[in-house]
Amino acid sequence: MAQSQISAKKQQELQQQYTNYKNNLQQLADRIGNVEQETEEHKLVLDTLTPLPGERKCFRMINGVLVERTVKDVLPALQINSDGLKRVLDELVKQYKRQQEEMEKWKVRCCLALALNFTMAESDDSEDLVRHLLTFSCAQKKNNVQVVQQ
């Protein structure tokens, strides 16, 4: 009875940790999508303004205020912003990959910890040991780690 309460609590903790990893990855993916969209918008504006004469009038939104500028004034600032967005995007992608690798390592540690926990808690009977190792195994289904009880 006590063992099943511990395992239920452990399962709940593991599910919470897994949910935290997935939420963090989703937040990073959302930010990556937003930065990619902004980068594409900057590229589109740069491609549109580049062939125009430098003295041509254009408008730019600065802190919610639409201001009149010339193409030669706007292009350097847009290029700097675009380059900065590309650097931010690269960093976010690296962060996403690191977080994903950390999650995969956690999944492996989780499986090993569960196996060790239940082997140490039970008797020395090898048949019992095998049964518990099979009973508490990690299964991966559509990127969800589940602790499976048979």
Side-chain angles (χ1 to χ4, degrees):
M1 170 101 176
Q3 186 67 28
S4 66
Q5 288 175 344
I6 292 172
S7 66
K9 184 177 179 182
K10 185 68 173 173
Q11 286 177 356
Q12 201 172 28
E13 289 174 8
L14 292 174
Q15 185 62 39
Q16 182 62 39
Q17 289 174 340
Y18 179 74
T19 302
N20 289 341
Y21 275 116
K22 291 300 281 184
N23 288 341
N24 289 341
L25 284 173
Q26 185 60 46
Q27 288 173 352
L28 280 172
D30 290 344
R31 289 196 331 217
I32 288 170
N34 290 340
V35 172
E36 282 178 338
Q37 183 179 358
E38 280 191 52
T39 302
E40 287 301 314
E41 289 172 2
H42 274 71
K43 182 182 180 305
L44 179 64
V45 173
L46 282 168
D47 290 346
T48 303
L49 291 179
T50 300
L52 299 177
E55 296 303 317
R56 183 164 176 174
K57 182 173 31 171
C58 66
F59 294 89
R60 181 171 182 216
M61 182 79 72
I62 300 176
N63 296 327
V65 178
L66 194 61
V67 295
E68 183 179 330
R69 299 278 191 244
T70 61
V71 171
K72 70 178 178 186
D73 295 334
V74 171
L75 275 178
L78 279 175
Q79 190 61 51
I80 290 170
N81 287 350
S82 181
D83 293 343
L85 285 170
K86 288 176 186 174
R87 284 192 301 273
V88 168
L89 182 61
D90 290 342
E91 186 57 39
L92 285 173
V93 169
K94 288 176 188 175
Q95 263 184 331
Y96 185 88
K97 288 179 182 178
R98 278 194 306 265
Q99 186 77 22
Q100 204 170 27
E101 289 169 4
E102 185 180 321
M103 183 175 159
E104 292 302 318
K105 289 176 185 176
W106 174 83
K107 286 179 186 179
V108 171
R109 283 194 317 267
C110 164
C111 291
L112 292 175
L114 283 174
L116 288 174
N117 184 24
F118 287 102
T119 58
M120 294 172 73
E122 296 300 318
S123 67
D124 292 332
D125 183 14
S126 62
E127 187 176 305
D128 198 33
L129 174 68
V130 170
R131 182 173 54 81
H132 281 292
L133 284 174
L134 291 174
T135 302
F136 293 91
S137 63
C138 287
Q140 189 168 3
K141 180 181 179 184
K142 293 184 182 177
N143 293 331
N144 289 327
V145 172
Q146 301 172 340
V147 178
V148 179
Q149 283 187 318
Q150 296 176 336

